[in-house]
Amino acid sequence: MKVKESIMRSLVFLLLVALSSAKVFERCEWGKVLKNHGMDGYYGVSLANWVCLTQWESSYNTQAINNENRDRSTDYGIFQINSRYWCDNGRSSNPVNGCRIKCSDLLTNNVAVAINCAKRVVRDPNGIEAWVAWRNHCKNRDVSGYLRGCRL
């Protein structure tokens, strides 16, 4: 009986690991998801710019986390949403939580939560400029290659 219980526990553990593993999108697959969620042209930001931004922020990884911010805040998920301003991780000083979500909600494969929060961020006065990776890698550049061959 103990062997059977041990095997069952192992199988449950492996199932939980499989279910919680990160979703890393392919470029065109991610572009399609963004388009289906109304991101093409949202607040003046082209689909190619969204794909560029998320490539440089997270490499299209839903569970990306960056703990290296100077202000000790953390960036979460495929868009690298910041805990100081946009989500609550329960430990940031002065969290604003502009998206009214827990930061852990940005680390799931339900990307609708992350997309809705990114829409909220881009509506802020800083707009797309809120993302450092976009400013450093996408701004004033030809980003059309991020959609090349995608048939969107």
Side-chain angles (χ1 to χ4, degrees), residues 2-20:
K2 290 212 181 236
V3 171
K4 198 176 201 180
E5 234 177 58
S6 177
I7 291 171
M8 287 303 291
R9 283 186 183 151
S10 295
L11 288 174
V12 167
F13 174 75
L14 290 173
L15 178 63
L16 289 173
V17 168
L19 290 174
S20 68

Side-chain angles (χ1 to χ4, degrees), residues 21-120:
S21 65
K23 168 72 174 164
V24 179
F25 285 88
E26 295 295 325
R27 176 178 56 86
C28 291
E29 174 191 20
W30 179 236
K32 184 176 182 178
V33 169
L34 289 170
K35 186 172 183 171
N36 288 342
H37 281 86
M39 295 297 274
D40 191 11
Y42 189 82
Y43 260 69
V45 180
S46 72
L47 188 59
N49 272 288
W50 287 113
V51 174
C52 178
L53 178 153
T54 50
Q55 163 60 47
W56 290 100
E57 287 288 355
S58 68
S59 299
Y60 315 125
N61 183 345
T62 61
Q63 290 191 342
I65 296 176
N66 173 28
N67 290 311
E68 299 178 14
N69 295 323
R70 282 182 247 150
D71 66 358
R72 293 186 162 168
S73 65
T74 302
D75 301 324
Y76 291 90
I78 200 161
F79 289 97
Q80 291 294 276
I81 303 291
N82 186 268
S83 64
R84 182 168 183 201
Y85 303 104
W86 303 108
C87 63
D88 181 13
N89 65 3
R91 61 180 189 271
S92 290
S93 60
N94 193 29
V96 177
N97 196 3
C99 291
R100 308 258 186 268
I101 58 172
K102 292 181 181 179
C103 296
S104 59
D105 294 343
L106 297 166
L107 300 175
T108 71
N109 293 344
N110 176 8
V111 293
V113 173
I115 290 170
N116 286 334
C117 188
K119 285 178 175 180
R120 170 61 190 94

Side-chain angles (χ1 to χ4, degrees), residues 116-135:
N116 286 334
C117 188
K119 285 178 175 180
R120 170 61 190 94
V121 173
V122 82
R123 290 191 312 262
D124 192 64
N126 291 328
I128 193 93
E129 300 264 347
W131 283 277
V132 173
W134 181 82
R135 292 191 317 255

